[in-house]
């Protein structure tokens, strides 16, 4: 419910994806973080079958987050988004005629969840149809609700275990005027995940060290 | 440590008396030895002379004993008596225990006694100094002064409710980013809900115009209980706000002025307002944002500068 930042960590030189993830886990544990289970974020793509005026059909993304197990988010890229409960999935099945599920495009991110003081850190591997595409790291600072306030604080924290891979302020927050806060729903977090997934979808498969 | 006990003992005469005892013992031994030997060792054959010699010897020995005894009596008069008035009465007899290494009871006893005397003295001094400034937070009158003359009850404890409301409203208007709501859920005591920007919410429990206790929680945390009343007991779920609650409690104990409670509330609110930049400020001392995962939570009482809890002077 705080300020979240999702970023991608490149695979370390000469190491596999799993090894890089292990290095990150070790760094976090050295810092004093405590492992608190696993997490899973996934995203399914639906294509609109109704083509209005010859425009390319918009893609609808339906995402789930284990942090909010009873909710499900439906959004268009850069467009409006909807937070619904898990029955929305069943609704999408009923809307088969209007929205087709692009089954091969399902992206998943699974990994461990760590807690350090008031921070929540999730390190996960992004897979698309069982091929590993990359590593994602999500850092959430729970007590604060204004992203502009605590960005420097979060950057300092990420520096301590990510080293040089510290990201810039996410575009989601850069677009907001100063002072507006992240509402209690997970829209900003999921938008960031969606950006990451789309970026990784376009990339080729990482090397030959496929887990 | 027998010399710690006041004894009127002349240590010189003591040692002389001991040697006097040894001299007496040796002269008595000589008497009995000569008696035991008898007349056998006499070289002269004639029994008369032998008897005379024996008797002379015996008389000499007895006189030596007499002399030594007189000497000892004289010396024992000089030695004197240990003082009758033990400061520790029967426990002074513990000093007679010869095994000082294994059971240093007496020395430890003396040290404990001296320490407790000193403590009592210092406590007396401290209480007389502290009583000079009355820091009463209650209307109860304790101590002997209650009997001597009826003290005037501090009138600041019984203030009209309307006055308290006015003061709080005025303070609420002082700062634009801080809103104060006043509730009276339990009788006449006011409970304030202070919302500071989008950073925190503080619940301040008052007793007329004195601040009693405070709980600080995050902006996104729930301040109400299931019944819809203000929750004044639950701690924050975030470590940073638990720390801020501790600091706020220190602050309300620091800002004290029994005669002018509205100044106190104003200074407390000014101090609390410095937390508007809780997540933006870096520590003035070490320059970092985070220390053990916490931002600088301490605000100096005079300068309102931000420090980490471990960095504050």
């Amino acid at each position: 419910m705080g300020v979240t930042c999702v970023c991608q960590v490149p695979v370390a030189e000469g190491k596999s994806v799993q090894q890089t993830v292990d290095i990150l886990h070790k760094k976090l544990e050295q810092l004093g973080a405590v492992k608190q289970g696993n997490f899973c974020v996934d995203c399914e793509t639906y294509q609109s079958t109704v083509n209005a005026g010859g425009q390319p059909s918009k893609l609808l993304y339906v995402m789930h987050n284990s942090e909010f197990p009873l909710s499900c988010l439906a959004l268009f890229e850069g467009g409006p988004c909807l937070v619904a409960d898990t029955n929305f999935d069943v609704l999408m099945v009923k809307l088969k005629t209007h929205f087709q599920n692009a089954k091969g495009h399902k992206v998943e991110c699974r990994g461990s969840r760590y807690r350090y003081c008031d921070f929540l850190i999730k390190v996960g591997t992004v897979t698309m149809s069982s091929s590993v595409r990359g590593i994602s790291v999500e850092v959430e600072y729970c007590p604060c609700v204004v992203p502009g306030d605590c960005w420097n604080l979060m950057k300092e924290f990420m520096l301590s275990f990510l080293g040089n891979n510290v990201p810039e302020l996410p575009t989601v927050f850069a677009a907001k005027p100063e002072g507006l806060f992240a509402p209690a729903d997970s829209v900003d977090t999921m938008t960031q995940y969606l950006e990451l997934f789309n970026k990784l979808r376009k990339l080729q498969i990482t090397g030959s060290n496929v887990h | 440590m027998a010399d710690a006990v006041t004894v009127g003992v002349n240590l010189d005469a003591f040692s002389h008396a001991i040697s006097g005892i040894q001299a007496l013992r040796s002269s008595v031994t000589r008497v009995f030895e000569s008696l035991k030997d008898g007349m056998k060792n006499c070289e002269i054959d004639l029994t008369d002379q032998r008897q005379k010699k024996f008797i002379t010897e015996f008389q000499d020995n007895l006189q030596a004993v007499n002399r030594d005894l007189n000497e000892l009596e004289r010396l024992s008069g000089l030695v004197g008596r240990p003082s009758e008035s033990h400061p520790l009465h029967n426990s002074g007899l513990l000093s007679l225990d010869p095994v000082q290494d294994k059971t240093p009871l007496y020395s430890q006893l003396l040290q404990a006694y001296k320490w407790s005397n000193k403590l009592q003295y210092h406590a007396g001094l401290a209480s007389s100094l502290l009583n000079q400034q009355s820091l009463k937070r209650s209307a109860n009158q304790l101590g002997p002064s209650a009997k001597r003359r009826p003290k005037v009850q501090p009138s600041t404890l019984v203030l009209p409710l309307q006055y308290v409301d006015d003061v709080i409203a005025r303070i609420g208007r002082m700062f634009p980013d801080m809103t104060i709501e006043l509730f009276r859920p339990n009788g006449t005591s006011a409970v304030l809900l202070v919302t500071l920007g989008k950073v925190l919410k503080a619940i301040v429990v008052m007793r007329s115009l004195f601040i009693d206790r405070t709980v600080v929680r995050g902006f996104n945390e729930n301040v109400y209980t299931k019944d819809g009343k203000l929750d004044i007991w639950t701690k924050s779920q975030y470590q940073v706000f638990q720390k801020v609650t501790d600091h706020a409690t220190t602050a309300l104990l620091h800002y004290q002025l029994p005669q002018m409670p509205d100044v106190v509330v104003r200074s407390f609110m000014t101090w609390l307002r410095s937390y508007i930049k809780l997540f933006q400020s870096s520590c003035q001392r070490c320059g970092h944002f985070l220390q053990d995962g916490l931002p600088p939570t301490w605000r100096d009482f005079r300068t309102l500068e931000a420090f980490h809890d471990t960095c504050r002077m």
Side-chain angles (χ1 to χ4, degrees):
Chain A
M1 260 209 301
V3 177
T4 339
C5 168
V6 179
C7 66
Q8 187 200 356
V9 175
V11 182
E13 283 291 320
K15 291 209 192 306
S16 73
V17 171
Q18 187 56 39
Q19 282 173 335
T20 317
V21 170
D22 287 339
I23 291 172
L24 282 173
H25 286 174
K26 210 172 288 178
K27 277 205 196 140
L28 280 171
E29 273 159 20
Q30 259 175 4
L31 219 65
V34 174
K35 182 162 170 182
Q36 280 190 344
N38 297 322
F39 82 100
C40 171
V41 175
D42 60 55
C43 170
E44 289 170 6
T45 322
Y46 289 84
Q47 202 160 27
S48 161
T49 51
V50 179
N51 243 334
Q55 285 171 359
S57 51
K58 282 182 120 177
L59 292 172
L60 174 71
Y61 300 100
V62 176
M63 305 180 75
H64 304 91
N65 187 351
S66 59
E67 196 72 23
F68 303 97
L70 299 174
S71 311
C72 135
L73 195 79
L75 54 123
F76 288 106
E77 192 161 8
C81 68
L82 164 79
V83 179
D85 78 343
T86 43
N87 288 328
F88 190 74
D89 293 327
V90 182
L91 189 67
M92 286 310 288
V93 174
K94 295 240 189 283
L95 291 174
K96 253 192 308 207
T97 45
H98 292 275
F99 287 101
Q100 258 182 357
N101 190 352
K103 291 226 170 60
H105 283 246
K106 175 162 179 179
V107 185
E108 255 191 9
C109 173
R110 279 182 192 276
S112 328
R113 185 177 181 265
Y114 282 87
R115 186 169 194 107
Y116 173 64
C117 196
D118 294 319
F119 287 93
L120 266 179
I121 309 111
K122 297 181 190 151
V123 181
T125 38
V126 182
T127 51
M128 178 161 150
S129 40
S130 61
S131 72
V132 175
R133 292 306 183 102
I135 304 171
S136 81
V137 169
E138 178 196 329
V139 175
E140 181 182 350
Y141 187 55
C142 311
C144 182
V145 289
V146 184
D149 280 357
C150 66
W151 177 245
N152 289 325
L153 201 141
M154 283 177 71
K155 217 160 75 163
E156 190 177 303
F157 176 65
M158 289 195 280
L159 200 71
S160 65
F161 75 99
L162 283 180
N164 292 333
N165 301 322
V166 179
E168 293 301 318
L169 183 71
T171 46
V172 187
F173 299 135
K176 282 202 217 288
E178 195 69 50
L180 256 193
F181 65 106
D185 58 27
S186 51
V187 174
D188 289 328
T189 320
M190 301 314 262
T191 320
Q192 291 182 56
Y193 266 114
L194 186 64
E195 276 176 26
L196 179 70
F197 291 163
N198 282 339
K199 197 166 85 178
L200 288 174
R201 227 194 289 258
K202 294 186 185 117
L203 281 179
Q204 311 240 323
I205 299 172
T206 54
S208 54
N209 295 329
V210 179
H211 191 250
Chain B
M1 318 297 162
D3 48 0
V5 180
T6 51
V7 284
V9 164
N10 186 350
L11 288 174
D12 253 353
F14 213 66
S15 56
H16 285 147
I18 289 173
S19 41
I21 291 176
Q22 286 171 342
L24 181 63
R25 276 196 183 137
S26 55
S27 48
V28 168
T29 317
R30 232 178 289 131
V31 165
F32 286 116
E33 261 186 26
S34 69
L35 276 180
K36 172 191 68 145
D37 290 339
M39 293 189 292
K40 284 185 192 160
N41 282 340
C42 249
E43 289 168 1
I44 307 168
D45 247 344
L46 300 168
T47 49
D48 277 347
Q49 282 182 344
R50 269 202 301 187
Q51 273 182 355
K52 254 188 212 162
K53 195 169 191 323
F54 179 68
I55 287 171
T56 332
E57 228 183 280
F58 188 59
Q59 273 177 346
D60 283 341
N61 284 341
L62 282 179
Q63 274 169 9
V65 168
N66 206 17
R67 206 173 40 239
D68 286 335
L69 190 61
N70 287 337
E71 183 71 27
L72 187 62
E73 273 183 15
R74 182 187 70 86
L75 283 172
S76 70
L78 284 179
V79 162
R81 292 163 168 277
S83 73
E84 292 285 343
S85 55
H86 281 272
L88 299 168
H89 298 281
N90 286 339
S91 54
L93 297 173
L94 274 177
S95 62
L96 301 176
D97 185 358
V99 189
Q100 281 289 353
D101 293 332
K102 289 187 187 168
T103 51
L105 272 177
Y106 188 62
S107 49
Q108 285 177 347
L109 180 68
L110 283 177
Q111 280 170 8
Y113 193 70
K114 272 192 245 175
W115 182 84
S116 70
N117 273 354
K118 243 190 246 181
L119 182 67
Q120 211 169 9
Y121 176 60
H122 284 305
L125 285 179
S127 78
S128 64
L129 280 174
L130 287 171
N131 279 340
Q132 284 172 13
Q133 178 149 39
S134 81
L135 292 169
K136 281 201 193 303
R137 287 169 78 81
S138 70
N140 292 334
Q141 293 161 17
L142 301 167
S145 62
K147 289 181 190 159
R148 279 196 215 131
R149 53 194 156 94
K151 252 201 199 149
V152 177
Q153 233 193 39
S155 58
T156 45
L157 270 174
V158 191
L159 286 172
L161 300 182
Q162 191 54 42
Y163 179 67
V164 173
D165 287 353
D166 286 341
V167 170
I168 300 295
R170 230 180 302 139
I171 294 175
R173 284 194 290 268
M174 260 169 73
F175 304 113
D177 43 17
M178 191 159 83
T179 55
I180 307 182
E181 288 169 57
L182 195 141
F183 301 85
R184 277 186 214 279
N186 309 310
T188 55
S189 298
V191 177
L192 311 176
L193 176 63
V194 182
T195 313
L196 190 64
K198 292 196 174 73
V199 178
L200 59 86
K201 289 185 188 162
I203 292 177
V204 181
V205 179
M206 320 260 306
R207 195 164 166 244
S208 95
L209 262 185
F210 293 109
I211 303 179
D212 222 16
R213 61 183 285 273
T214 169
V215 179
V216 177
R217 294 204 208 109
F219 189 73
N220 49 11
E221 288 185 77
N222 195 10
V223 277
Y224 296 102
T225 61
K226 289 196 192 119
D227 307 331
K229 293 169 83 169
L230 263 186
D231 186 355
I232 60 177
W233 295 106
T234 323
K235 284 200 290 196
S236 170
Q237 58 178 260
Y238 301 123
Q239 287 189 26
V240 59
F241 288 118
Q242 286 176 11
K243 260 268 152 34
V244 175
T245 305
D246 290 341
H247 296 328
T249 313
T250 317
L252 71 91
L253 290 170
H254 170 90
Y255 292 117
Q256 284 203 21
L257 204 60
Q259 319 307 327
M260 289 187 283
D262 48 344
V263 174
V264 169
V265 181
R266 211 178 286 259
S267 2
F268 179 76
M269 291 303 172
T270 314
W271 177 86
L272 191 64
R273 186 178 170 257
S274 66
Y275 280 98
I276 189 88
K277 290 195 186 297
L278 173 63
F279 301 116
Q280 298 173 38
S281 336
S282 59
C283 175
Q284 291 290 330
R285 194 162 181 220
C286 67
H288 292 164
F289 282 100
L290 288 176
Q291 179 98 297
D292 297 331
L294 292 170
T297 49
W298 176 260
R299 294 289 180 275
D300 189 78
F301 291 131
R302 279 179 300 115
T303 57
L304 297 182
E305 285 169 345
F307 293 100
H308 286 121
D309 195 27
T310 43
C311 291
R312 57 175 158 139
M313 324 283 181

